[in-house]
Amino acid sequence: MLFVLLLCSCTTNTFSGYVYDYDTEHPIKNVQIDSNGNQTETDSSGYFSIQVKPNKICKIVLRKEGYATKIVNRKPDSLGVFSKKNLRNVRIYLFDKDSDLSH
């Protein structure tokens, strides 16, 4: 039983999604994504995938020159894990830095 609990606390989940420009709805490539020390960036279709620990709140920071920095927070459920829906194929929109919505 202890082994199973240790295994659960050490496993990771993958948070994935797509990043789009809010105004044009076009995908944004080369968005820098950071989550608790793990880093990646979006590909040409705006897609990214990053490892997150299942038993911790994950704070995901998205940065791209010309856009306002966006922070996305995800919390695990009461069992300390994320549902597949909570982590898969999330759509995230970035606002132009000069947009009224970014302030």
Side-chain angles (χ1 to χ4, degrees):
M1 180 80 159
L2 181 59
F3 175 72
V4 172
L5 289 175
L6 288 174
L7 183 63
C8 289
S9 67
C10 296
T11 59
T12 58
N13 284 320
T14 302
F15 179 79
S16 63
Y18 294 86
V19 180
Y20 295 94
D21 180 287
Y22 179 80
D23 294 319
T24 66
E25 294 200 22
H26 289 111
I28 307 171
K29 66 179 181 177
N30 301 324
V31 175
Q32 297 172 349
I33 301 169
D34 184 1
S35 176
N36 301 331
N38 291 332
Q39 296 178 340
T40 191
E41 61 179 46
T42 57
D43 64 14
S44 60
S45 67
Y47 179 79
F48 70 92
S49 178
I50 193 164
Q51 295 295 312
V52 294
K53 292 191 177 187
N55 58 348
K56 294 189 176 193
I57 294 173
C58 68
K59 178 179 174 182
I60 297 150
V61 181
L62 297 96
R63 291 184 183 91
K64 172 80 175 170
E65 189 173 328
Y67 289 90
T69 298
K70 178 140 188 166
I71 298 172
V72 176
N73 292 298
R74 287 287 190 263
K75 294 190 307 185
D77 65 18
S78 61
L79 297 174
V81 295
F82 291 101
S83 70
K84 297 292 182 196
K85 182 180 178 185
N86 196 15
L87 293 179
R88 299 261 184 234
N89 299 323
V90 175
R91 289 181 73 118
I92 300 172
Y93 291 90
L94 294 185
F95 298 104
D96 186 286
K97 196 177 263 186
D98 297 326
S99 169
D100 291 339
L101 299 173
S102 68
H103 300 285

